[in-house]
Amino acid sequence: MKSLGNIRRDFAPWNQPDAKPYIQFKNITKRFGDFTAVNNLSLSIYEREFFALLGASGCGKSTLLRMLAGFEEPTEGQILLDGQDLRGIPPYRRPVNMMFQSYALFPHMTVEQNIAFGLKQDGMPKAEIEQRVADMLKLVKLGQFAKRKPHQLSGGQRQRVALARAVAKRPKVLLLDEPLGALDKKLREETQFELMDLQQTLGLTFVVVTHDQEEAMTMADRIAILDKGEVMQVATPAEVYEAPGSRFVADFVGNINMFEGKVADRNGAAATIAGANGLTIRTANAGDAAAGTEVAFAIRPEKIKVSSKKPESGDNVMEGEIYDIAYLGDMTIFHVQLGNGQVVKASSLNATRATEDPLSWDDKAWISFRNDAGVVLTR
Amino acid sequence: MKRPLSAVTDRLVIIIPYLWLLFFFLIPFFIVFKISLSTTAIAMPPYTPVLSLSDGVAALMSQLGEFSFDNYIWLTQDALYFNAYVSSVVIAAISTFLALLVGYPIAYGMARAPATIRPTLLMLVILPFWTSFLIRVYAWIGILKPEGLLNQFLLATGLIDQPLVILNTHTAIFIGIVYSYLPFMILPLYSALEKMDYSLIEAAQDLGCTPISAFWKVTFPLSLPGVIAGCLLVFIPAVGEFVIPDLLGGSQTLMIGKTLWNEFFANRDWPVSSAVAVILLLLLVVPIMFFQQAQARAQEQGR
Ligand SMILES: Nc1ncnc2c1ncn2[C@@H]1O[C@H](COP(=O)(O)OP(=O)(O)OP(=O)(O)O)[C@@H](O)[C@H]1O
Ligand SMILES: [Mg+2]
């Protein structure tokens, strides 16, 4: 299979063997009392990368970020920034700035003073501070709000002040903890692109925490998927979606159909998988799963075609019955119950206004997909 | 028919505090003010004129003519009163500052303590109120006097070889006031510090502040409403304090509360002591107004 690279820009240092990681988590474990929040985790993040940490609530994303910022010390392991061990270095001496989940704007200071805070702390000359603050205000489009206090701003404006304050110091690494959590959908989408622009313009390394997979997919060069303090997979958005490394990742990101079964027969890269109740699936690439291995065949709904007549040809064709239909406007999701009882989700784009092949509840239907449409998962 | 009725009850609810103020502050104040305009007399009550309607309106009018501001002029002529006011304000100000120095770390520690033990700590701060104020001040005599507990302890440990003279000095008054009014300092400070978001301090450190500069740039400014409230709650009663200077300060201390007591009970000069009280009140109204303004400003800040 063709390798799925970064489709957004020509940037993939993680594929270059001689590239040096900028941030390295080496076997990091963090315990709170006898609760393990992060468990023997290793990660490498490269300079100028937009890196997302994605995972369910409580999986240790914030803890990881807070260890990088210096608010928590790892119980075990080492964090390196540009080759330097960060252990024992207090937050105020780390070249890292954080945008807090709660924004943490200083309520007794104006927008301007909030943004200037870190610069003053560094003893930057006054004229330079003014210039930098003006630049920042322009960047986040808050020029006319410079003299306001945080409580006089809307949620979205506050979020942009928090961003400007964190970026103002031009940190080597910017950490963003659920930066867009409080925004409505529209503003959130707009801001995602603003963030990407900003990262490109300033050439910073961004580490962003989110539990919104769409957000991670939109913004990040690479995504780390975490579960219970462990890394499940680190890959580009396209890889995570099209080539998930495990059942967990496949299930966590987007919608997927999972066929549990055994590799019956291998023929080069291709294989036949025997599923439950006599189901047979032909796949062009079964990876390194030897014959006899228990595997899951995973396939996304949009890669399955539904039709009322039996397709004339196809790698995989299965008969079933329409179980449920969800019309979403831009597409329709069919739930098809196969002969073996399994319900398969298939989505089809509503490219025209009328459907030439109307399907209704309890109709007989056929699903079909190509032999390279799914992935074989061993874990 | 329900609306007008509820409007009436609403109005009544608002009236209650005003009635309270009227009966327990304004009317007594005017009685005191009236007495301060009278002259002393060997009579019962010991001042003239005593207003009464029984002799007719004409007599009343002529009695009103007897009122004068002589007592206030008298206050300006004897340096004793001026000195007493100044010394009261100075003693109260120093005590307030000391109470702030002692109370702030305590309040800070309480606000940072685990949430489960905070109610206990609050309880401990309020606990002294369960014994009589007078007894607690008396107890300090036993601690501070030359052969008292403190001196015994210091002599026994060999830190001093002569007993310290603390009782009947200003130091004893400071100790007494700080001790007695500390809860009034701690409680508003605690409530200001407790509601502060800890991530603000993390943000300050993230932006390059050492913990100490984060305290001065973020924690302290944000606790200012608590600082002001605490200082006023200590300062205002401390200015007029009588018991503590009388018991711990000895005969030398000059405080307006003691002067007032002397005028009233030793000299039986009700008019002059009333004038002293009225001036004291005016002296205190200024800080109260300052306090209210600060509160309004804090409210406007949205905190
Ligand atoms: N100071 C602490 N003391 C004890 N447990 C903690 C502490 N901080 C975090 N935890 C625990 O560690 C785990 C991971 O917390 P963390 O804040 O990193 O989660 P998260 O992935 O950021 O979740 P969310 O998406 O909800 O923000 C949680 O189970 C949490 O209860
Ligand atoms: Mg979090």
Side-chain angles (χ1 to χ4, degrees), chain A residues 100-151:
Chain A
F100 288 75
Q101 198 162 357
S102 58
Y103 306 153
L105 297 177
F106 304 124
H108 58 303
M109 297 182 193
T110 61
V111 167
E112 227 170 28
Q113 290 167 328
N114 263 286
I115 297 174
F117 188 90
L119 304 172
K120 270 198 200 138
Q121 214 49 47
D122 286 357
M124 192 189 251
K126 219 167 171 248
E128 237 174 282
I129 292 182
E130 274 167 27
Q131 186 55 47
R132 180 73 65 86
V133 170
D135 287 350
M136 285 294 128
L137 285 171
K138 211 164 98 194
L139 189 76
V140 295
K141 305 188 191 77
L142 283 176
Q144 73 264 46
F145 300 110
K147 297 276 186 276
R148 293 228 191 143
K149 293 264 178 77
H151 75 272

Side-chain angles (χ1 to χ4, degrees), chain A residues 1-2 242 257 259 270-273 280-286 297-306 311 313-318 344 346 366-376:
Chain A
M1 188 164 69
K2 193 170 94 20
E242 302 293 358
N257 296 296
F259 296 90
T272 317
I273 295 164
T280 312
I281 296 164
R282 270 173 288 277
T283 173
N285 187 352
F297 178 79
I299 182 165
R300 302 276 177 202
E302 71 275 10
K303 296 186 173 66
I304 299 180
K305 198 168 145 30
V306 188
S313 65
D315 302 319
N316 293 287
V317 177
M318 296 167 194
V344 173
W366 297 84
I367 63 165
S368 57
F369 49 88
R370 288 162 47 147
N371 64 1
D372 60 355
V375 283
V376 173

Side-chain angles (χ1 to χ4, degrees), chain A residues 66 69 71 91-92 96-98 100 102 104-109 114 117-118 121-122 149 151-152 165-166 169, chain B residues 197-211 213-214 216-219 221-222 299-303:
Chain A
R66 291 171 56 79
F71 301 126
Y92 48 92
V96 165
N97 281 146
M98 178 140 156
F100 288 75
S102 58
L105 297 177
F106 304 124
H108 58 303
M109 297 182 193
N114 263 286
F117 188 90
Q121 214 49 47
D122 286 357
K149 293 264 178 77
H151 75 272
Q152 297 164 316
R165 186 180 68 177
K169 287 185 75 170
Chain B
D197 182 1
Y198 189 71
S199 67
L200 292 178
I201 295 160
E202 284 185 344
Q205 292 198 18
D206 189 63
L207 292 165
C209 280
T210 60
S213 77
W216 287 113
K217 289 188 170 145
V218 178
T219 313
L222 286 176
Q299 219 135 51
E300 184 254 330
Q301 258 188 13
R303 303 205 72 249

Side-chain angles (χ1 to χ4, degrees), chain B:
Chain B
M1 280 326 286
K2 240 179 158 183
R3 270 197 148 282
L5 203 75
S6 81
V8 168
T9 43
D10 275 5
R11 201 84 36 97
L12 274 179
V13 168
I14 298 172
I15 280 176
I16 292 171
Y18 285 102
L19 284 180
W20 179 274
L21 220 70
L22 181 71
F23 283 116
F24 296 105
F25 177 74
L26 273 182
I27 293 177
F29 175 75
F30 272 105
I31 294 173
V32 171
F33 183 62
K34 194 214 95 185
I35 297 173
S36 78
L37 299 178
S38 315
T39 349
T40 42
I42 303 178
M44 195 62 207
Y47 54 85
T48 60
V50 181
L51 295 185
S52 110
L53 269 172
S54 56
D55 302 334
V57 178
L60 186 71
M61 291 313 283
S62 81
Q63 281 176 336
L64 283 179
E66 288 175 42
F67 283 135
S68 75
F69 281 92
D70 286 352
N71 293 320
Y72 291 93
I73 295 166
W74 164 249
L75 292 188
T76 64
Q77 280 165 349
D78 192 334
L80 168 81
Y81 301 105
F82 179 76
N83 289 344
Y85 280 121
V86 170
S87 137
S88 293
V89 167
V90 168
I91 288 175
I94 293 174
S95 310
T96 305
F97 180 69
L98 294 175
L100 179 64
L101 283 190
V102 176
Y104 204 105
I106 297 176
Y108 189 88
M110 284 167 62
R112 289 280 163 273
T116 44
I117 65 164
R118 278 183 219 159
T120 317
L121 293 175
L122 265 178
M123 197 58 211
L124 288 175
V125 169
I126 306 168
L127 203 63
F129 288 133
W130 291 53
T131 20
S132 146
F133 170 67
L134 208 56
I135 289 174
R136 283 182 284 133
V137 178
Y138 263 114
W140 275 104
I141 298 179
I143 296 171
L144 298 179
K145 65 185 174 185
E147 65 282 8
L149 289 174
L150 180 66
N151 275 318
Q152 280 181 20
F153 174 75
L154 291 178
L155 285 169
T157 54
L159 283 171
I160 52 170
D161 46 25
Q162 283 292 310
L164 296 174
V165 180
I166 303 176
L167 196 64
N168 298 340
T169 64
H170 279 186
T171 313
I173 299 182
F174 296 146
I175 292 174
I177 294 179
V178 169
Y179 167 76
S180 305
Y181 290 105
L182 198 58
F184 297 112
M185 180 61 87
I186 292 177
L187 294 179
L189 280 175
Y190 168 77
S191 96
L193 287 168
E194 196 235 12
K195 69 181 175 209
M196 209 180 78
D197 182 1
Y198 189 71
S199 67
L200 292 178
I201 295 160
E202 284 185 344
Q205 292 198 18
D206 189 63
L207 292 165
C209 280
T210 60
I212 290 171
S213 77
F215 173 82
W216 287 113
K217 289 188 170 145
V218 178
T219 313
F220 189 73
L222 286 176
S223 67
L224 266 184
V227 171
I228 292 170
C231 285
L232 287 171
L233 285 177
V234 173
F235 179 77
I236 291 169
V239 172
E241 182 55 53
F242 164 71
V243 174
I244 294 170
D246 193 53
L247 293 182
L248 302 179
S251 50
Q252 268 78 289
T253 30
L254 196 57
M255 275 190 83
I256 202 66
K258 277 185 77 179
T259 311
L260 198 125
W261 169 277
N262 279 335
E263 289 299 346
F264 204 86
F265 290 99
N267 298 349
R268 271 182 75 78
D269 193 338
W270 288 26
V272 164
S273 59
S274 298
V276 168
V278 169
I279 295 292
L280 179 61
L281 183 89
L282 291 181
L283 217 67
L284 296 182
V285 160
V286 177
I288 289 175
M289 277 162 55
F290 171 66
F291 174 50
Q292 277 181 334
Q293 224 178 354
Q295 259 195 334
R297 214 176 30 230
Q299 219 135 51
E300 184 254 330
Q301 258 188 13
R303 303 205 72 249

Side-chain angles (χ1 to χ4, degrees), chain A residues 32 35 37 56-63 101 178 211:
Chain A
F32 294 106
F35 175 78
S57 186
C59 69
K61 307 178 299 282
S62 295
T63 307
Q101 198 162 357
E178 310 241 355
H211 58 239

